[in-house]
Amino acid sequence: MEELTGRLVVVHPQLTTDPVSRQGQTGVIAIADLQKDNISVGFGGGPLGRYSSDALLVLKDKRELYQDIMTGVKDMDAGTFKDLLDINMKQEYSDYGHISAAMKIAVENPEVMKRSMISLEDYISRNHNINVSEAVSFER
């Protein structure tokens, strides 16, 4: 069963209400209570941010992103194409450093973000094997 704790997420850059002011920043899911739609995210210092799953973004699955890049190449400029391929190549390594770098590229350009990221809410609905029964915390 897949857990969300420890997963990298980006706080949606256009989120209007964020008590910890982390819009557009990458963090790690510390606690996920999906029954209450309450996701606590750590940012490497300071208080945890509490968000609903639709306020957080994750990268699309690398296979899905690659397919989208190849089928949509005619509808994008060269810079968008290059950035999407760079993101997709970084996903091959699946470590925090590469995924964080890929997320940074995505957030810097609204078109790239739109094509390469989905909300955590959409991710959860696509992956029904995620544990929704209990809140689980991430310990360091």
Side-chain angles (χ1 to χ4, degrees):
M1 194 169 286
E2 185 177 347
E3 301 291 343
L4 292 174
T5 54
R7 183 175 187 81
L8 286 173
V9 294
V10 170
V11 177
H12 199 294
Q14 297 168 344
L15 186 65
T16 55
T17 308
D18 184 357
V20 292
S21 299
R22 298 291 186 157
Q23 295 95 331
Q25 293 185 26
T26 303
V28 177
I29 296 177
I31 302 169
D33 183 348
L34 299 180
Q35 289 180 336
K36 295 180 181 176
D37 194 29
N38 189 358
I39 314 296
S40 296
V41 179
F43 297 95
L48 293 177
R50 294 176 67 175
Y51 304 94
S52 62
S53 58
D54 65 343
L56 299 171
L57 301 172
V58 296
L59 290 170
K60 287 182 178 178
D61 174 77
K62 64 184 175 184
R63 291 173 298 277
E64 179 186 356
L65 179 57
Y66 183 77
Q67 185 68 27
D68 290 351
I69 294 167
M70 293 302 120
T71 58
V73 68
K74 292 179 184 178
D75 301 328
M76 65 181 85
D77 61 50
T80 299
F81 180 74
K82 177 188 163 296
D83 286 346
L84 290 171
L85 280 180
D86 193 17
I87 289 167
N88 198 238
M89 286 190 289
K90 288 179 183 341
Q91 286 179 299
E92 288 298 319
Y93 296 98
S94 67
D95 60 76
Y96 283 118
H98 283 95
I99 299 302
S100 178
M103 289 178 157
K104 184 176 185 206
I105 293 167
V107 171
E108 289 175 351
N109 180 326
E111 181 65 21
V112 173
M113 185 176 81
K114 181 177 87 173
R115 291 177 180 265
S116 65
M117 301 190 93
I118 59 173
S119 71
L120 183 61
E121 178 180 50
D122 288 344
Y123 175 82
I124 292 166
S125 70
R126 293 179 184 188
N127 296 283
H128 299 300
N129 59 337
I130 293 175
N131 183 1
V132 296
S133 61
E134 294 183 34
V136 181
S137 64
F138 176 67
E139 307 250 350
R140 291 184 191 200

